Structures are given as C-alpha cells and as structure tokens.
Amino acid sequence: MKLSRIVTTLLSGLPVTLTLLVFSFILASVIGLGIAWLSLRNNVACYSVARLYLGLVRGTPPLLMLLLAYYGLPKLFLLVGIDINDWSKLFFGIVGLSVGWSGYLSEAFRSAYLSVDKGQYEAALVVGMNSSDAFWRIIMPQTVFIALPNIENLVIGLVKATFLVYVIGLFDMYSAATDLSNQNQGVYQLGIFVVLALVYWIIVLVIEWAFRSIKKDYQYITG
C-alpha cells in the first residue's frame, strides 16, 4: 500500500481530532476555572462541592466518562423534556473529554495560584493599587505563567485521549486507521499504525512549539 494513501486516509479524520482537542480544552478550562474558584473560596460548602466533583472526575476513566456522556446525557435531558438523542456525536465527545480533563486543569490552576506569593498582593494594596488591579496585574500573570507547564502536559494528554471517541462511533484519525486496516485484512496494520503514531507525534511537536512561544512572549511582556 502506498504511503500517500495511508496519510490521506488518516488525515481525513484530522478535522474531528483537532475539533475535539480545541473545544474540549476550552470547555474543560472554563469548568476547571470554576471548580478552582470554588475550592479556593473560604466556604465549607463550596470547598466540599469542589472536592466531591474532583474526586468523581479524577476517579473515573476517560473512556467511561465518554460513555457516560453519550448514554447518560440524553436520559438526563429527557427528565426536563429535552430530547438530544439526535445531537451530533461530536457534542458528546467534547462533553465527555471536557469533564474528564476539567478536574486536572482545575488542580493546575489552583496549585499555580497558591504558588504565588500573596505578599505581593498586599504590597500592591499598600502602594495604592485597588484590589481588582492588584489581582489582575500582579497575581494572575504569575499564576498563568506558573500553570503553563502543567497545562501543556494536560493538552498533550488530551491529544492522545481524543482517539477514545471511537467508542461512540466518531470518525477520527484512529477510526480512519482501523477502517483502513480492516479493509486490507490487517495486512498493512503495522505500517498504518506507525504512520498514525507519527502524525500524533507531529501534533504534539506543534503543541510544544506553541507553548514555548507563549512562554517566551509571556516572559517578554511581563519582564
């Protein structure tokens, strides 16, 4: 089998893989920030809710989270009279991955925030800066910079987890590879999956380059 055919077939599933990656990361970040905010509040109820959520999410395998989203969400929505059974499988894939990764991102945000010396915030207030400016101009830039390495690792992990959507019937790069292998009775299976591994590796290299650029620009702006 020609290499060009393998690459073309695999890349036919790339749009779904990238869509899953981008939107799952965005939604997981939003949820993660919300959970981090709850866990940092000086409120027992908020803290308890956050820890319960984190325990459930981090204790559930990503594959199972996808299945729960795909089979469970339609039943939950039906309880309030909304039928989402005909919604795109891509939606359920994004939700499943987002919930699964939100717990890890939440801890990345929380730990980064706690790593910043809060004495800087107090010093900013002393010199006349208001609390809002002190938070956004002193605390948040450092929090983001500290969190970047952990966020990078989580994004790379999310890239490798996108292939799990095959369990709900989404056609991504992994599904394209398995379909191509099955069409040829597994004769070219090793070559197909080696090429697939290389494609994932290239995506990871691009992500690593992007984060290096972000860190460099961030240091230049804040430095």
Side-chain angles (χ1 to χ4, degrees):
M1 183 185 297
K2 291 184 178 180
L3 177 61
S4 58
R5 184 191 172 194
I6 296 176
V7 173
T8 301
T9 302
L10 296 184
L11 292 182
S12 67
L14 181 61
V16 170
T17 297
L18 294 181
T19 301
L20 284 166
L21 174 63
V22 172
F23 286 96
S24 295
F25 174 70
I26 292 172
L27 182 56
S29 296
V30 172
I31 299 172
L33 283 169
I35 298 301
W37 179 78
L38 284 176
S39 65
L40 289 168
R41 287 181 62 80
N42 188 23
N43 182 290
V44 175
C46 290
Y47 180 82
S48 299
V49 169
R51 301 317 297 179
L52 176 62
Y53 178 88
L54 290 172
L56 290 172
V57 168
R58 293 191 296 173
T60 304
L63 184 63
L64 181 55
M65 189 66 71
L66 279 167
L67 292 172
L68 288 173
Y70 185 63
Y71 293 108
L73 279 180
K75 294 186 181 299
L76 285 177
F77 274 74
L78 278 177
L79 294 176
V80 292
I82 301 175
D83 185 2
I84 64 171
N85 284 289
D86 295 330
W87 286 20
S88 170
K89 292 179 180 179
L90 188 60
F91 166 79
F92 297 105
I94 291 172
V95 171
L97 291 174
S98 298
V99 173
W101 252 251
S102 63
Y104 302 107
L105 282 165
S106 172
E107 287 298 274
F109 298 142
R110 187 181 71 88
S111 61
Y113 176 80
L114 293 175
S115 297
V116 179
D117 181 9
K118 299 307 180 292
Q120 299 175 65
Y121 177 80
E122 297 170 359
L125 296 181
V126 169
V127 299
M129 188 177 289
N130 63 52
S131 58
S132 178
D133 285 343
F135 177 77
W136 289 108
R137 296 175 62 182
I138 305 297
I139 301 300
M140 278 307 294
Q142 296 181 72
T143 299
V144 172
F145 186 76
I146 293 170
L148 279 176
N150 284 332
I151 293 174
E152 178 183 354
N153 289 331
L154 289 169
V155 172
I156 291 172
L158 184 57
V159 170
K160 294 182 285 186
T162 55
F163 88 94
L164 295 172
V165 297
Y166 77 91
V167 299
I168 60 173
L170 267 176
F171 185 82
D172 68 328
M173 290 196 299
Y174 176 78
S175 298
T178 54
D179 285 353
L180 185 60
S181 175
N182 292 334
Q183 290 169 17
N184 293 275
Q185 290 77 48
V187 175
Y188 303 102
Q189 188 175 57
L190 177 59
I192 292 169
F193 284 105
V194 167
V195 175
L196 178 62
L198 291 174
V199 174
Y200 277 115
W201 179 54
I202 291 171
I203 294 174
V204 169
L205 288 178
V206 171
I207 291 171
E208 291 176 342
W209 169 82
F211 271 90
R212 281 197 302 271
S213 299
I214 292 171
K215 291 173 189 175
K216 186 181 298 183
D217 293 342
Y218 205 85
Q219 283 179 313
Y220 176 77
I221 294 171
T222 59

